[in-house]
Coordinates of all heavy atoms in Angstrom, one line a residue:
M1 N -5.1 4.8 26.4 CA -5.6 5.7 25.4 C -7.0 6.2 25.8 O -7.4 7.3 25.5 CB -5.6 5.0 24.1 CG -6.9 4.7 23.4 SD -6.9 3.8 21.9 CE -5.5 4.3 21.0
L2 N -7.8 5.4 26.6 CA -9.1 5.8 27.0 C -9.1 6.8 28.2 O -8.2 6.6 29.1 CB -10.0 4.6 27.3 CG -10.5 3.8 26.1 CD1 -11.2 2.5 26.6 CD2 -11.4 4.6 25.2
S3 N -10.0 7.7 28.2 CA -10.1 8.6 29.3 C -10.6 7.9 30.6 O -11.2 6.9 30.5 CB -11.1 9.8 29.0 OG -12.4 9.3 29.0
P4 N -10.3 8.5 31.8 CA -10.8 7.9 33.0 C -12.3 7.8 33.1 O -12.9 7.0 33.9 CB -10.3 8.9 34.1 CG -9.2 9.7 33.5 CD -9.5 9.7 32.0
Q5 N -13.0 8.6 32.3 CA -14.5 8.5 32.3 C -15.0 7.3 31.6 O -16.1 6.8 31.8 CB -15.1 9.8 31.6 CG -15.0 11.0 32.4 CD -13.6 11.6 32.4 OE1 -12.8 11.5 31.4 NE2 -13.2 12.3 33.4
E6 N -14.1 6.7 30.7 CA -14.5 5.5 30.0 C -13.9 4.2 30.5 O -14.6 3.1 30.4 CB -13.9 5.6 28.5 CG -14.5 6.8 27.8 CD -15.9 6.7 27.3 OE1 -16.6 5.7 27.7 OE2 -16.3 7.5 26.5
A7 N -12.8 4.2 31.2 CA -12.1 3.0 31.7 C -11.1 3.4 32.8 O -10.6 4.6 32.7 CB -11.4 2.2 30.6
I8 N -10.8 2.5 33.7 CA -9.8 2.8 34.7 C -8.6 1.8 34.4 O -8.8 0.6 34.3 CB -10.4 2.4 36.1 CG1 -11.7 3.2 36.4 CG2 -9.3 2.7 37.2 CD1 -11.5 4.7 36.4
T9 N -7.5 2.4 34.2 CA -6.3 1.6 33.9 C -5.2 1.7 35.0 O -5.3 2.5 35.9 CB -5.7 2.1 32.5 OG1 -5.2 3.4 32.7 CG2 -6.7 2.1 31.4
N10 N -4.2 0.9 34.8 CA -3.1 0.9 35.7 C -1.9 1.7 35.2 O -0.8 1.5 35.7 CB -2.7 -0.6 36.1 CG -2.2 -1.4 34.9 OD1 -2.2 -0.9 33.8 ND2 -1.8 -2.6 35.2
W11 N -2.1 2.5 34.3 CA -1.0 3.4 33.8 C -1.7 4.7 33.4 O -2.9 4.9 33.5 CB -0.2 2.8 32.7 CG -0.9 2.3 31.5 CD1 -1.8 3.0 30.8 CD2 -0.8 1.0 30.9 NE1 -2.3 2.2 29.7 CE2 -1.7 1.0 29.8 CE3 -0.1 -0.1 31.2 CZ2 -1.8 -0.2 29.0 CZ3 -0.2 -1.3 30.4 CH2 -1.1 -1.3 29.3
E12 N -0.8 5.6 32.8 CA -1.3 6.9 32.4 C -2.6 6.8 31.5 O -2.5 6.1 30.5 CB -0.2 7.7 31.7 CG -0.6 9.1 31.4 CD 0.6 9.9 30.8 OE1 1.7 9.5 31.1 OE2 0.3 10.8 30.1
Q13 N -3.6 7.5 31.9 CA -4.8 7.5 31.1 C -4.7 8.5 29.9 O -4.0 9.4 30.0 CB -6.0 8.0 31.9 CG -6.3 7.1 33.1 CD -7.3 6.0 32.9 OE1 -7.6 5.3 33.8 NE2 -7.9 5.9 31.7
G14 N -5.4 8.2 28.9 CA -5.5 9.1 27.7 C -6.7 9.9 27.8 O -7.3 10.1 28.9
S15 N -7.2 10.5 26.7 CA -8.3 11.3 26.7 C -9.4 10.9 25.6 O -10.4 11.6 25.5 CB -7.9 12.8 26.4 OG -7.3 12.8 25.1
M16 N -9.2 9.8 25.0 CA -10.1 9.3 24.0 C -11.4 8.7 24.6 O -11.3 8.1 25.6 CB -9.4 8.2 23.1 CG -10.2 7.7 21.9 SD -9.3 6.6 20.9 CE -8.5 7.8 19.8
T17 N -12.5 9.0 23.9 CA -13.7 8.4 24.3 C -14.0 7.2 23.5 O -13.4 6.9 22.5 CB -14.9 9.4 24.1 OG1 -15.1 9.6 22.7 CG2 -14.6 10.7 24.8
L18 N -14.9 6.4 24.0 CA -15.4 5.2 23.2 C -16.0 5.6 21.9 O -15.9 4.9 20.9 CB -16.3 4.3 24.1 CG -15.6 3.5 25.2 CD1 -16.7 3.0 26.1 CD2 -14.8 2.4 24.6
G19 N -16.7 6.8 22.0 CA -17.3 7.3 20.7 C -16.3 7.6 19.6 O -16.6 7.6 18.5
E20 N -15.1 7.9 20.0 CA -14.0 8.1 19.1 C -13.3 6.8 18.7 O -12.9 6.6 17.5 CB -13.0 9.1 19.6 CG -13.5 10.5 19.9 CD -12.6 11.3 20.8 OE1 -11.9 10.8 21.7 OE2 -12.6 12.5 20.5
L21 N -13.1 5.9 19.7 CA -12.3 4.7 19.5 C -13.1 3.7 18.6 O -12.5 3.1 17.7 CB -11.9 4.1 20.8 CG -11.3 2.7 20.8 CD1 -9.9 2.8 20.0 CD2 -11.1 2.1 22.2
L22 N -14.3 3.5 18.9 CA -15.1 2.4 18.3 C -15.2 2.5 16.8 O -15.0 1.6 16.0 CB -16.4 2.2 19.0 CG -16.4 1.8 20.5 CD1 -17.8 1.8 21.0 CD2 -15.6 0.6 20.7
P23 N -15.6 3.7 16.3 CA -15.6 3.8 14.8 C -14.2 3.6 14.2 O -14.1 3.0 13.1 CB -16.1 5.3 14.6 CG -16.7 5.7 15.8 CD -16.0 4.9 16.9
A24 N -13.2 4.0 14.8 CA -11.8 3.8 14.3 C -11.5 2.3 14.2 O -11.0 1.8 13.2 CB -10.8 4.5 15.2
L25 N -11.9 1.6 15.3 CA -11.7 0.1 15.3 C -12.4 -0.6 14.1 O -11.9 -1.4 13.5 CB -12.1 -0.5 16.6 CG -11.2 -0.2 17.8 CD1 -11.7 -0.8 19.1 CD2 -9.8 -0.7 17.5
R26 N -13.7 -0.1 14.0 CA -14.5 -0.7 12.9 C -13.9 -0.5 11.6 O -13.8 -1.4 10.7 CB -15.9 -0.1 13.0 CG -16.8 -0.7 14.1 CD -18.2 -0.2 14.0 NE -18.9 -0.4 15.3 CZ -19.1 0.6 16.2 NH1 -18.6 1.8 16.0 NH2 -19.7 0.3 17.3
E27 N -13.4 0.8 11.3 CA -12.8 1.1 10.0 C -11.6 0.3 9.8 O -11.3 -0.2 8.7 CB -12.6 2.6 10.0 CG -12.2 3.1 8.6 CD -13.2 2.8 7.5 OE1 -14.4 2.8 7.8 OE2 -12.8 2.7 6.4
I28 N -10.7 0.2 10.8 CA -9.5 -0.6 10.7 C -9.8 -2.0 10.3 O -9.2 -2.6 9.4 CB -8.6 -0.5 12.0 CG1 -8.1 0.9 12.1 CG2 -7.5 -1.5 11.9 CD1 -7.5 1.2 13.5
T29 N -10.8 -2.6 11.0 CA -11.0 -4.0 10.7 C -11.8 -4.2 9.4 O -11.7 -5.3 8.8 CB -11.9 -4.7 11.9 OG1 -13.1 -3.9 12.1 CG2 -11.1 -4.7 13.2
L30 N -12.4 -3.2 8.9 CA -13.0 -3.3 7.6 C -12.0 -3.2 6.5 O -12.1 -3.8 5.4 CB -14.1 -2.2 7.4 CG -15.4 -2.4 8.1 CD1 -16.3 -1.2 8.0 CD2 -16.1 -3.7 7.5
Q31 N -10.9 -2.4 6.7 CA -9.9 -2.1 5.7 C -8.7 -3.1 5.7 O -8.1 -3.3 4.7 CB -9.3 -0.7 5.9 CG -10.4 0.4 5.8 CD -11.0 0.5 4.4 OE1 -10.3 0.2 3.4 NE2 -12.3 0.7 4.3
K32 N -8.5 -3.7 6.9 CA -7.3 -4.6 7.1 C -7.8 -5.9 7.6 O -8.8 -6.0 8.3 CB -6.3 -4.0 8.0 CG -5.8 -2.7 7.5 CD -4.9 -2.8 6.3 CE -4.3 -1.5 5.8 NZ -3.6 -1.7 4.6
N33 N -7.0 -7.0 7.4 CA -7.3 -8.3 8.0 C -6.6 -8.2 9.4 O -5.4 -8.3 9.5 CB -6.7 -9.4 7.2 CG -7.4 -9.6 5.9 OD1 -8.6 -9.5 5.9 ND2 -6.7 -9.9 4.8
V34 N -7.4 -8.2 10.4 CA -7.0 -8.1 11.8 C -7.0 -9.5 12.4 O -8.0 -10.1 12.4 CB -7.8 -7.1 12.7 CG1 -7.4 -7.1 14.1 CG2 -7.8 -5.7 12.1
A35 N -5.8 -10.0 12.8 CA -5.8 -11.4 13.3 C -6.1 -11.4 14.8 O -6.5 -12.5 15.3 CB -4.4 -11.9 13.1
G36 N -5.9 -10.3 15.5 CA -6.2 -10.3 17.0 C -6.1 -8.9 17.5 O -5.7 -8.0 16.9
A37 N -6.6 -8.8 18.8 CA -6.5 -7.5 19.5 C -6.2 -7.8 20.9 O -6.7 -8.8 21.5 CB -7.8 -6.8 19.3
D38 N -5.4 -6.9 21.5 CA -5.1 -7.1 22.9 C -5.6 -5.9 23.7 O -5.1 -4.8 23.4 CB -3.5 -7.2 23.1 CG -3.1 -7.5 24.5 OD1 -3.9 -7.8 25.3 OD2 -1.9 -7.3 24.8
V39 N -6.6 -6.1 24.5 CA -7.1 -5.0 25.4 C -6.5 -5.2 26.7 O -6.7 -6.2 27.4 CB -8.6 -5.0 25.4 CG1 -9.1 -3.9 26.3 CG2 -9.2 -4.9 24.0
C40 N -5.7 -4.2 27.2 CA -4.9 -4.4 28.4 C -4.9 -3.1 29.2 O -5.3 -2.1 28.7 CB -3.5 -4.9 28.2 SG -2.5 -3.8 27.2
G41 N -4.4 -3.2 30.4 CA -4.3 -2.0 31.3 C -5.2 -2.0 32.5 O -5.1 -1.0 33.2
E42 N -6.0 -3.0 32.6 CA -6.9 -2.9 33.8 C -6.1 -3.1 35.1 O -5.2 -3.9 35.1 CB -8.0 -4.1 33.7 CG -8.9 -3.8 32.6 CD -10.0 -4.9 32.5 OE1 -10.4 -5.4 33.6 OE2 -10.5 -5.1 31.4
P43 N -6.4 -2.3 36.1 CA -5.7 -2.4 37.3 C -5.9 -3.7 38.1 O -7.0 -4.3 38.0 CB -6.1 -1.2 38.1 CG -7.5 -1.0 37.6 CD -7.5 -1.4 36.2
Y44 N -4.9 -4.2 38.8 CA -5.2 -5.3 39.7 C -6.0 -4.8 40.9 O -5.7 -3.7 41.5 CB -3.8 -5.8 40.2 CG -4.0 -6.8 41.4 CD1 -4.4 -8.1 41.2 CD2 -3.8 -6.3 42.7 CE1 -4.6 -8.9 42.3 CE2 -4.0 -7.2 43.8 CZ -4.4 -8.5 43.6 OH -4.6 -9.3 44.6
L45 N -7.0 -5.5 41.2 CA -7.8 -5.2 42.4 C -7.7 -6.2 43.5 O -7.8 -7.4 43.2 CB -9.3 -5.1 42.0 CG -9.7 -4.0 41.1 CD1 -11.2 -4.1 40.8 CD2 -9.4 -2.6 41.7
H46 N -7.3 -5.8 44.6 CA -7.3 -6.7 45.8 C -8.7 -7.2 46.0 O -9.7 -6.5 45.8 CB -6.8 -5.9 47.0 CG -6.6 -6.8 48.2 ND1 -7.7 -7.2 49.0 CD2 -5.5 -7.4 48.7 CE1 -7.2 -7.9 50.0 NE2 -5.9 -8.1 49.8
P47 N -8.9 -8.4 46.4 CA -10.3 -9.0 46.6 C -11.2 -8.1 47.5 O -12.4 -8.0 47.2 CB -10.0 -10.3 47.3 CG -8.7 -10.8 46.8 CD -7.9 -9.5 46.7
L48 N -10.6 -7.4 48.4 CA -11.5 -6.5 49.2 C -11.9 -5.2 48.4 O -12.9 -4.6 48.7 CB -10.7 -6.0 50.5 CG -10.4 -7.1 51.5 CD1 -9.6 -6.6 52.7 CD2 -11.7 -7.8 52.0
D49 N -11.1 -4.9 47.4 CA -11.5 -3.7 46.6 C -12.8 -4.0 45.8 O -13.5 -3.0 45.4 CB -10.4 -3.4 45.6 CG -9.2 -2.8 46.3 OD1 -9.3 -2.3 47.4 OD2 -8.1 -3.0 45.7
Y50 N -13.1 -5.3 45.6 CA -14.3 -5.6 44.8 C -15.6 -5.1 45.6 O -16.6 -4.9 45.0 CB -14.4 -7.1 44.6 CG -13.5 -7.6 43.5 CD1 -12.2 -8.0 43.9 CD2 -13.9 -7.7 42.2 CE1 -11.3 -8.4 42.9 CE2 -13.0 -8.1 41.2 CZ -11.7 -8.5 41.6 OH -10.9 -8.9 40.6
M51 N -15.4 -4.9 46.9 CA -16.6 -4.6 47.7 C -16.7 -3.0 47.8 O -17.8 -2.6 48.2 CB -16.4 -5.1 49.2 CG -16.1 -6.6 49.2 SD -17.6 -7.5 48.5 CE -18.2 -8.2 50.0
C52 N -15.7 -2.3 47.6 CA -15.8 -0.8 47.7 C -16.4 -0.2 46.5 O -16.2 -0.7 45.4 CB -14.5 -0.2 48.1 SG -13.3 -0.2 46.8
P53 N -17.0 1.0 46.6 CA -17.6 1.7 45.5 C -16.6 2.0 44.4 O -16.9 1.8 43.2 CB -18.2 2.9 46.1 CG -18.4 2.6 47.5 CD -17.3 1.7 47.9
A54 N -15.4 2.4 44.7 CA -14.4 2.7 43.6 C -14.0 1.4 42.9 O -13.9 1.5 41.6 CB -13.2 3.3 44.3
G55 N -13.9 0.3 43.5 CA -13.6 -0.9 42.9 C -14.7 -1.4 42.0 O -14.5 -1.8 40.8
Q56 N -15.9 -1.3 42.5 CA -17.1 -1.6 41.7 C -17.2 -0.7 40.4 O -17.6 -1.2 39.4 CB -18.3 -1.6 42.5 CG -18.3 -2.7 43.6 CD -19.6 -2.6 44.5 OE1 -20.4 -1.8 44.4 NE2 -19.6 -3.6 45.4
E57 N -16.9 0.5 40.6 CA -17.0 1.5 39.5 C -16.0 1.1 38.4 O -16.2 1.2 37.2 CB -16.8 2.9 40.0 CG -16.9 3.9 38.9 CD -18.3 4.1 38.3 OE1 -19.2 3.5 38.7 OE2 -18.4 4.9 37.3
A58 N -14.8 0.8 38.8 CA -13.7 0.4 37.9 C -14.1 -0.9 37.1 O -14.0 -0.9 35.9 CB -12.4 0.2 38.6
I59 N -14.7 -1.8 37.8 CA -15.1 -3.1 37.2 C -16.2 -2.8 36.2 O -16.2 -3.3 35.0 CB -15.6 -4.1 38.2 CG1 -14.4 -4.6 39.1 CG2 -16.3 -5.3 37.6 CD1 -14.8 -5.3 40.3
R60 N -17.2 -1.9 36.6 CA -18.3 -1.6 35.7 C -17.8 -0.9 34.4 O -18.1 -1.2 33.3 CB -19.3 -0.7 36.4 CG -20.6 -0.4 35.6 CD -21.4 0.7 36.2 NE -20.7 2.0 36.2 CZ -20.5 2.7 35.1 NH1 -20.9 2.3 33.9 NH2 -19.9 3.9 35.2
K61 N -17.0 0.1 34.6 CA -16.5 0.9 33.5 C -15.6 0.0 32.5 O -15.8 0.1 31.3 CB -15.6 2.0 33.9 CG -16.3 3.2 34.4 CD -15.3 4.3 34.8 CE -16.0 5.6 35.3 NZ -15.1 6.6 35.6
N62 N -14.8 -0.8 33.1 CA -13.9 -1.6 32.2 C -14.7 -2.7 31.5 O -14.4 -3.0 30.4 CB -12.7 -2.2 33.1 CG -11.8 -1.1 33.6 OD1 -11.7 0.0 33.0 ND2 -11.0 -1.4 34.6
A63 N -15.6 -3.3 32.2 CA -16.4 -4.4 31.6 C -17.2 -3.7 30.4 O -17.3 -4.3 29.3 CB -17.4 -5.0 32.6
R64 N -17.8 -2.6 30.6 CA -18.6 -1.9 29.6 C -17.6 -1.6 28.4 O -18.0 -1.9 27.2 CB -19.2 -0.6 30.1 CG -19.9 0.2 29.1 CD -20.5 1.5 29.7 NE -21.1 2.3 28.7 CZ -20.5 3.3 28.0 NH1 -19.2 3.6 28.2 NH2 -21.2 4.0 27.1
A65 N -16.5 -1.0 28.6 CA -15.5 -0.7 27.6 C -15.1 -2.0 26.8 O -15.1 -2.0 25.6 CB -14.3 0.1 28.1
N66 N -14.8 -3.0 27.5 CA -14.3 -4.3 26.9 C -15.4 -4.8 26.0 O -15.1 -5.3 24.9 CB -13.9 -5.3 28.0 CG -12.6 -4.9 28.6 OD1 -11.8 -4.2 28.1 ND2 -12.4 -5.4 29.8
I67 N -16.6 -4.9 26.5 CA -17.7 -5.4 25.7 C -17.9 -4.6 24.4 O -18.1 -5.1 23.3 CB -19.0 -5.5 26.5 CG1 -18.9 -6.6 27.6 CG2 -20.2 -5.7 25.7 CD1 -19.9 -6.6 28.7
M68 N -17.9 -3.3 24.6 CA -18.1 -2.4 23.4 C -17.0 -2.6 22.4 O -17.2 -2.6 21.2 CB -18.3 -1.0 23.8 CG -19.6 -0.7 24.6 SD -19.8 0.9 25.2 CE -20.3 1.7 23.7
I69 N -15.8 -2.7 22.9 CA -14.6 -2.9 22.0 C -14.8 -4.2 21.2 O -14.6 -4.3 20.0 CB -13.3 -2.8 22.7 CG1 -13.0 -1.4 23.2 CG2 -12.1 -3.3 21.9 CD1 -11.9 -1.2 24.2
L70 N -15.1 -5.3 22.0 CA -15.3 -6.6 21.4 C -16.4 -6.6 20.3 O -16.3 -7.1 19.2 CB -15.5 -7.7 22.4 CG -15.7 -9.1 22.0 CD1 -14.5 -9.6 21.2 CD2 -16.0 -10.0 23.2
Q71 N -17.5 -5.9 20.7 CA -18.6 -5.9 19.7 C -18.2 -5.1 18.5 O -18.6 -5.5 17.4 CB -19.8 -5.2 20.4 CG -20.5 -6.0 21.4 CD -21.6 -5.3 22.2 OE1 -21.6 -4.1 22.3 NE2 -22.6 -6.1 22.6
A72 N -17.5 -4.0 18.6 CA -17.0 -3.3 17.4 C -16.1 -4.2 16.5 O -16.3 -4.2 15.3 CB -16.3 -2.0 17.9
L73 N -15.2 -4.9 17.1 CA -14.3 -5.7 16.3 C -15.1 -6.9 15.7 O -14.9 -7.2 14.5 CB -13.2 -6.3 17.2 CG -12.2 -5.3 17.8 CD1 -11.3 -5.9 18.8 CD2 -11.4 -4.7 16.6
L74 N -16.0 -7.5 16.4 CA -16.8 -8.6 15.8 C -17.8 -8.2 14.8 O -18.0 -8.8 13.8 CB -17.5 -9.4 17.0 CG -16.6 -10.2 17.9 CD1 -17.4 -10.8 19.0 CD2 -15.8 -11.2 17.1
S75 N -18.4 -7.0 15.0 CA -19.4 -6.5 14.0 C -18.8 -6.2 12.7 O -19.3 -6.5 11.6 CB -20.2 -5.3 14.6 OG -19.4 -4.2 14.6
A76 N -17.6 -5.6 12.7 CA -16.9 -5.3 11.5 C -16.5 -6.6 10.8 O -16.6 -6.8 9.6 CB -15.7 -4.4 11.8
H77 N -16.0 -7.6 11.6 CA -15.6 -8.9 11.0 C -16.8 -9.6 10.4 O -16.7 -10.1 9.3 CB -15.0 -9.8 12.1 CG -14.6 -11.1 11.6 ND1 -13.5 -11.3 10.8 CD2 -15.1 -12.3 11.8 CE1 -13.3 -12.6 10.5 NE2 -14.3 -13.2 11.1
S78 N -18.0 -9.6 11.0 CA -19.2 -10.2 10.5 C -19.6 -9.5 9.2 O -20.1 -10.1 8.3 CB -20.3 -10.1 11.5 OG -20.0 -10.9 12.7
Y79 N -19.5 -8.2 9.2 CA -19.9 -7.4 8.0 C -19.0 -7.8 6.8 O -19.5 -8.0 5.7 CB -19.8 -5.9 8.3 CG -20.1 -5.1 7.1 CD1 -21.4 -4.9 6.7 CD2 -19.1 -4.5 6.3 CE1 -21.7 -4.1 5.6 CE2 -19.4 -3.8 5.2 CZ -20.7 -3.5 4.8 OH -21.0 -2.8 3.7
K80 N -17.7 -8.0 7.1 CA -16.8 -8.4 6.0 C -17.2 -9.8 5.5 O -17.1 -10.0 4.3 CB -15.4 -8.4 6.5 CG -14.6 -7.1 6.1 CD -13.2 -7.1 6.3 CE -12.4 -8.0 7.1 NZ -11.0 -7.5 7.3
K81 N -17.5 -10.7 6.3 CA -17.8 -12.1 5.9 C -19.1 -12.1 5.0 O -19.2 -12.8 4.1 CB -18.0 -13.0 7.1 CG -16.8 -13.5 7.7 CD -17.1 -14.3 8.9 CE -16.6 -15.7 8.7 NZ -16.9 -16.6 9.8
A82 N -20.1 -11.2 5.4 CA -21.3 -11.2 4.7 C -21.2 -10.6 3.3 O -22.0 -10.9 2.4 CB -22.4 -10.5 5.5
S83 N -20.3 -9.7 3.1 CA -20.2 -9.0 1.8 C -19.4 -9.7 0.8 O -18.9 -10.7 0.9 CB -19.7 -7.6 2.0 OG -18.8 -7.4 3.0

């Protein structure tokens, strides 16, 4: 679902930005009881790919996206508990 500018996946990329996805995730978790989330689609990298610029860029983009998605899910959950 995320665009190649936001994350590198191992299947067809979407066009959604994190700026569009994160508010939607927050709203869903505020309105519904979410028991879990599965973030998947990261490509397999051969160990040598970790050394090349393209591999490092994929790791950086995916780590950033994963952290932001987790923070969005957790912040909405924390807000629900506090209210």
Side-chain angles (χ1 to χ4, degrees):
M1 117 183 324
L2 288 173
S3 75
Q5 290 75 29
E6 300 285 9
I8 306 298
T9 66
N10 61 357
W11 54 53
E12 186 177 334
Q13 300 265 181
S15 60
M16 185 174 274
T17 67
L18 285 166
E20 296 166 327
L21 174 63
L22 299 176
L25 288 177
R26 285 186 197 99
E27 189 61 29
I28 290 167
T29 56
L30 285 171
Q31 299 297 322
K32 300 292 181 184
N33 291 322
V34 177
D38 185 13
V39 178
C40 59
E42 292 183 31
Y44 167 78
L45 293 178
H46 185 279
L48 294 176
D49 292 336
Y50 287 89
M51 306 297 251
C52 73
Q56 291 177 0
E57 180 70 1
I59 292 166
R60 184 194 66 74
K61 281 183 180 183
N62 293 340
R64 177 180 176 269
N66 288 338
I67 289 167
M68 292 178 77
I69 291 167
L70 181 59
Q71 287 174 333
L73 293 170
L74 291 175
S75 69
H77 180 71
S78 297
Y79 177 78
K80 263 193 341 193
K81 280 179 117 179
S83 29

